Amino acid sequence: MWIITIHSKKGIKMFEFCTEKEARERFEVMEGCKILSEVIYFNDKQLIET
């Protein structure tokens, strides 16, 4: 999961995306002080299996 956090005069807003591509596309057009983060869950089976 990918999260964009935007800090602006109106406050803090967070937007959630399923894919990195989708998040990066939106990140480019959003205004304000923004942070793009990937959320990794400890129990995510995709990350545990090697």
Side-chain angles (χ1 to χ4, degrees), residues 20-31:
E20 179 181 2
K21 180 182 177 188
E22 182 183 15
R24 289 192 182 275
E25 288 173 355
R26 291 291 305 271
F27 185 81
E28 294 299 321
V29 297
M30 292 181 161
E31 295 182 7

Side-chain angles (χ1 to χ4, degrees), residues 1-46:
M1 174 175 37
W2 291 81
I3 304 288
I4 296 176
T5 306
I6 298 182
H7 299 265
S8 68
K9 293 179 181 179
K10 296 179 181 179
I12 299 172
K13 292 185 180 180
M14 297 178 78
F15 302 89
E16 181 179 312
F17 301 91
C18 292
T19 65
E20 179 181 2
K21 180 182 177 188
E22 182 183 15
R24 289 192 182 275
E25 288 173 355
R26 291 291 305 271
F27 185 81
E28 294 299 321
V29 297
M30 292 181 161
E31 295 182 7
C33 182
K34 52 195 177 182
I35 301 167
L36 177 61
S37 307
E38 181 180 14
V39 177
I40 300 173
Y41 292 102
F42 179 73
N43 60 354
D44 190 344
K45 293 180 182 180
Q46 295 176 4

